């Protein structure tokens, strides 16, 4: 294998000297009215950025909507007529790549899947040589939102032993068409066959989908995929591909030809062809997700100089650093850092509190180089991956809350209202977040021009100190 908000809330502070923006004391006065707290945060943020925010600034969330929903299901039909023919020259070429009972000489043979660059893929079974009761399946998935293991599946053939004659027929020398046996294999060509004619599976699916085939041996219950990585034993031979984008092999009518084993051994018990209006080949695909990085402040207000008034804070925006990719039904998340000492939770779920996810005490700041400032920190902890469910049209919609006061169980949402003070900002996943007590605008001087003039909207963080 995208989502949207309002005003940031900030709560008050007693007259103490505090240490940095992420921190070791209760910084909220739970008695301060919420509206007053919002105004306080806005006041401090405005002071931080120089007094003005451009009305068009949307804090990086302008490109985070989920892509429009694609067709969820493929449409597969099987032609009733035998419209495609293959002659002996074609089959002899296929045989040279798939020797009967042996490993294909191709050195790059495993983990193949395909993507369709046209509306319809035409797929035909052109060879079978098996005594097993085999099923043949198509699987397909959206690599932007799904992994191969989440693919949808469609049965093409229930049992090769009983259905082969409905998949293709062969022509004998005297011109009489006869039904094949599942175990005919290459032997039929030595016995005088000049052509075979086939029925065609027509597969219509979104052009961005990946797809492949697999054979399930009914006798053993094992499945063998064109993508060997999906086999229960990844070392077992499964599929091999030759065809149009492979050098010196374009003589196969600009089509793809691939074989499948049904027993984990090198011989290809079934061979299919994808006709020349068909797909491109892709090896070992990785889901392509649209990742966004959310950086946020926990709304602390600091009295840095001890004069009992709230100061311009350091605004390091590392209290939570969260990577998000929207998928159907929710989002995939990777928690990268947590520079807060107040609780921060994701998607209104107490089990998704950042310290709990990192398995550290609430006073510990994670992956923000806090120890360099003499603060309690844990660096180089691995990111934490998890999924959330919900109907998110934009990354901005994913709720992130901070506990207003330690132990209060009063939660305040971090927000990003366009043109107003923001407590969360969206950047790309290559963004390097500031260390503890390192001001965002000091690390990235372009931030102020972005906020005041809406300049370098997608690149203010590309040049940094």
């Amino acid at each position: 294998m995208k989502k949207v908000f309002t005003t940031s809330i900030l709560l008050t502070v007693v007259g103490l000297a505090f240490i940095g923006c992420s921190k070791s004391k209760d910084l909220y006065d739970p008695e301060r009215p919420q509206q007053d707290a919002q105004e306080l945060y806005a006041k401090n943020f405005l002071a931080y950025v120089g007094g003005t925010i451009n009305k068009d600034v949307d804090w990086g969330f302008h490109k985070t909507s989920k892509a429009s929903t694609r067709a969820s299901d493929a449409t597969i039909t099987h032609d009733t007529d035998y419209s495609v023919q293959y002659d002996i020259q074609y089959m002899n070429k296929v045989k040279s790549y798939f020797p009967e009972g042996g490993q294909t000489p191709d050195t790059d043979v495993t983990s193949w899947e395909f993507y369709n660059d046209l509306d319809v893929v035409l797929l035909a079974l052109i060879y079978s040589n098996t005594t097993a009761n085999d099923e043949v399946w198509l699987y397909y998935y959206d690599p932007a939102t799904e992994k191969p293991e989440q693919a949808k599946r469609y049965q093409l053939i229930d049992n090769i032993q009983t259905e082969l004659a409905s998949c293709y027929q062969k022509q004998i020398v005297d011109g009489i068409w006869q039904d094949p046996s599942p175990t005919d294999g290459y032997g039929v060509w030595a016995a005088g066959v000049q052509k075979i004619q086939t029925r065609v599976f027509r597969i219509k699916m979104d052009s961005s989908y990946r797809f492949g085939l697999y054979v399930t041996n009914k006798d053993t219950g094992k499945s063998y995929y064109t993508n060997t990585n999906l086999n229960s034993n990844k070392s077992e031979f499964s599929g091999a591909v030759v065809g149009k984008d492979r050098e010196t092999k374009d003589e196969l009518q600009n089509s793809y030809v691939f074989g499948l084993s049904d027993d984990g051994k090198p011989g290809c018990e079934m061979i299919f062809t994808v006709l020349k209006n068909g797909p491109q080949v892709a090896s070992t695909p990785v889901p392509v997700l649209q990742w966004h990085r959310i950086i946020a402040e926990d709304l602390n207000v600091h009295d840095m100089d001890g004069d009992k008034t709230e100061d311009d804070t350091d605004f390091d925006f590392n209290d939570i650093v969260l990577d998000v990719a929207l998928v159907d039904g929710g989002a995939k998340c990777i928690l990268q850092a947590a520079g807060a000492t107040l609780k921060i939770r994701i998607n209104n779920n107490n089990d998704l509190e950042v310290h709990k996810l990192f398995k550290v005490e609430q006073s510990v700041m994670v992956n923000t180089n806090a120890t360099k400032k003499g603060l309690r920190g844990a660096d180089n902890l691995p990111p934490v991956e998890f999924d959330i469910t919900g109907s998110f049209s934009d990354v901005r919609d994913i709720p992130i809350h901070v506990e207003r006061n330690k132990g209060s169980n009063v939660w305040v949402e971090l927000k990003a209202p366009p043109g107003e003070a923001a407590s969360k900002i969206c950047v790309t996943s290559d963004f390097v977040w500031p260390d503890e007590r390192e001001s965002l605008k000091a690390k990235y001087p372009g931030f102020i021009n972005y906020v005041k003039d809406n300049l370098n909207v997608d690149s203010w963080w590309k040049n940094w100190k």
Side-chain angles (χ1 to χ4, degrees), residues 402-449:
V402 60
E403 189 178 34
R404 179 170 180 175
N405 197 36
K406 187 174 181 180
S408 69
N409 200 32
V410 176
W411 297 87
V412 181
E413 187 171 2
L414 306 182
K415 298 187 177 183
E420 300 179 33
S423 53
K424 66 180 180 182
I425 298 171
C426 185
V427 291
T428 54
S429 57
D430 59 351
F431 175 88
V432 180
W433 57 90
D435 291 345
E436 285 304 320
R437 295 188 181 178
E438 182 180 20
S439 171
L440 183 65
K441 69 181 181 182
K443 186 178 183 70
Y444 296 102
F447 178 66
I448 296 302
N449 288 333

Side-chain angles (χ1 to χ4, degrees), residues 44-307:
N44 280 272
F45 188 88
L46 281 171
Y48 179 73
V49 299
T52 60
I53 299 173
N54 188 288
K55 64 179 179 60
D56 295 321
V57 170
D58 67 358
W59 308 113
F61 291 94
H62 60 288
K63 291 185 177 180
T64 67
S65 296
K66 189 171 70 171
S68 59
T69 303
R70 297 167 179 158
S72 59
D73 295 316
T75 301
I76 298 99
T77 57
H78 196 192
D79 289 355
T80 57
D81 60 334
Y82 295 81
S83 57
V84 181
Q85 297 184 8
Y86 300 90
D87 60 22
I88 191 169
Q89 289 79 18
Y90 182 90
M91 292 304 297
N92 284 341
K93 181 59 67 174
V94 170
K95 289 165 67 175
S96 71
Y97 293 124
F98 296 102
E100 188 162 16
Q103 172 74 58
T104 173
D106 197 306
T107 58
D108 189 9
V109 298
T110 63
S111 306
W112 293 106
E113 290 178 334
F114 306 89
Y115 64 92
N116 176 28
D117 58 357
L118 294 174
D119 290 338
V120 178
V121 177
L122 303 181
L123 175 70
L125 173 64
I126 63 171
Y127 166 88
S128 177
N129 189 42
T130 179
T131 58
N133 295 301
D134 287 326
E135 303 173 11
V136 181
W137 291 78
L138 170 82
Y139 69 95
Y140 60 96
Y141 64 97
D142 180 356
T145 60
E146 299 170 310
K147 295 180 179 179
E149 294 82 357
Q150 299 169 303
K152 297 182 174 65
R153 299 164 191 275
Y154 181 90
Q155 188 181 72
L156 300 177
I157 298 171
D158 177 65
N159 191 325
I160 195 71
Q161 295 296 318
T162 59
E163 296 185 35
L164 186 59
S166 66
C167 297
Y168 72 80
Q169 294 180 330
K170 64 180 183 290
Q171 185 180 37
I172 305 303
V173 177
D174 59 12
I176 300 175
W177 293 102
Q178 296 185 4
D179 290 342
S181 159
T183 57
D184 277 348
Y186 290 136
V188 299
W189 299 99
V193 170
Q194 295 174 333
K195 291 181 180 179
I196 62 170
Q197 59 180 7
T198 74
R199 293 175 61 189
V200 173
F201 291 101
R202 294 179 180 270
I203 306 165
K204 185 173 183 179
M205 69 179 73
D206 191 281
S207 62
S208 64
Y209 284 177
R210 292 271 173 86
F211 70 94
L213 291 182
Y214 65 97
V215 171
T216 298
N217 186 315
K218 288 188 172 186
D219 300 325
T220 65
K222 293 192 68 174
S223 295
Y224 302 94
Y225 288 77
T226 52
N227 182 350
T228 307
N229 292 325
L230 299 179
N231 291 346
S232 57
N233 182 347
K234 295 180 177 57
S235 65
E236 289 181 320
F237 180 84
S238 180
V241 179
V242 296
K244 82 179 176 189
D245 287 342
R246 314 291 297 284
E247 272 188 38
T248 74
K249 297 172 184 175
D250 56 355
E251 62 273 3
L252 290 182
Q253 296 184 356
N254 289 325
S255 59
Y256 289 110
V257 179
F258 54 94
L260 273 169
S261 169
D262 66 357
D263 57 7
K265 298 177 181 178
C268 289
E269 275 67 48
M270 297 181 198
I271 295 177
F272 294 83
T273 183
V274 179
L275 305 188
K276 58 186 174 182
N277 73 326
Q280 307 298 312
V281 68
S283 178
T284 54
V286 176
V288 180
L289 298 176
Q290 186 179 2
W291 287 98
H292 306 279
R293 177 160 290 170
I294 297 175
I295 58 173
E297 274 296 300
D298 65 5
L299 303 179
N300 288 343
V301 182
H302 300 163
D303 176 16
M304 301 295 289
D305 56 11
D307 65 358

Side-chain angles (χ1 to χ4, degrees), residues 363-382:
S363 59
V364 175
M365 307 169 204
V366 180
N367 294 340
T368 60
N369 291 319
T371 55
K372 292 182 178 179
K373 300 295 184 181
L375 307 173
R376 290 197 67 191
D379 294 323
N380 302 315
L381 291 188

Side-chain angles (χ1 to χ4, degrees), residues 310-384:
E310 295 81 6
D311 301 320
D312 180 10
T313 73
D314 62 2
F315 286 97
D316 53 22
F317 275 87
N318 66 15
D319 292 332
I320 177 173
V321 179
L322 180 69
D323 292 349
V324 177
L326 300 186
V327 297
D328 288 341
K332 293 186 175 298
C333 300
I334 305 174
L335 179 63
Q336 298 283 0
T341 56
L342 289 170
K343 290 182 179 179
I344 297 180
R345 71 182 184 188
I346 301 158
N347 205 33
N348 297 306
N349 187 337
N350 288 334
D351 289 332
L352 299 182
E353 195 280 320
V354 294
H355 301 91
K356 184 180 293 187
L357 288 169
F358 275 126
K359 298 181 180 179
V360 299
E361 296 177 13
Q362 186 179 327
S363 59
V364 175
M365 307 169 204
V366 180
N367 294 340
T368 60
N369 291 319
T371 55
K372 292 182 178 179
K373 300 295 184 181
L375 307 173
R376 290 197 67 191
D379 294 323
N380 302 315
L381 291 188
V384 180

